[in-house]
Amino acid sequence: LQAGMWFQETDEIPAGRYTVSNGDSNFFVYDEDGDIYVNVILDDSNSGWGVSEYTFVLLKGSIIETNSPCTLTPVE
């Protein structure tokens, strides 16, 4: 994903389980009511400020917000 806001339904990202990685910024996921249910700092530098990857469930109607490019990988 490029930096920005991504809409699960509009951008045709299937709901399901994902791992986000390869980012260097805050990563948020909001539910359809606008409440944050994922709030992590992605950090590949091992500085201790964040995590290199995070696994979460993308719910129907969710919005993803990322401040840097990152990789979103489906997980079974």
Side-chain angles (χ1 to χ4, degrees):
L1 297 176
Q2 295 300 316
M5 305 268 306
W6 298 87
F7 299 85
Q8 181 271 321
E9 291 177 338
T10 307
D11 293 312
E12 298 181 3
I13 304 169
R17 193 166 178 227
Y18 290 88
T19 295
V20 61
S21 59
N22 299 323
D24 192 25
S25 73
N26 291 27
F27 180 86
F28 304 100
V29 183
Y30 304 87
D31 65 17
E32 63 185 347
D33 294 325
D35 296 322
I36 294 174
Y37 71 93
V38 175
N39 179 1
V40 298
I41 298 172
L42 295 174
D43 180 10
D44 282 336
S45 70
N46 295 322
S47 68
W49 288 100
V51 296
S52 60
E53 64 179 31
Y54 184 80
T55 301
F56 67 99
V57 175
L58 183 65
L59 304 173
K60 182 177 167 114
S62 294
I63 300 168
I64 296 171
E65 179 182 0
T66 180
N67 296 317
S68 73
C70 60
T71 302
L72 195 61
T73 306
V75 176
E76 299 229 0

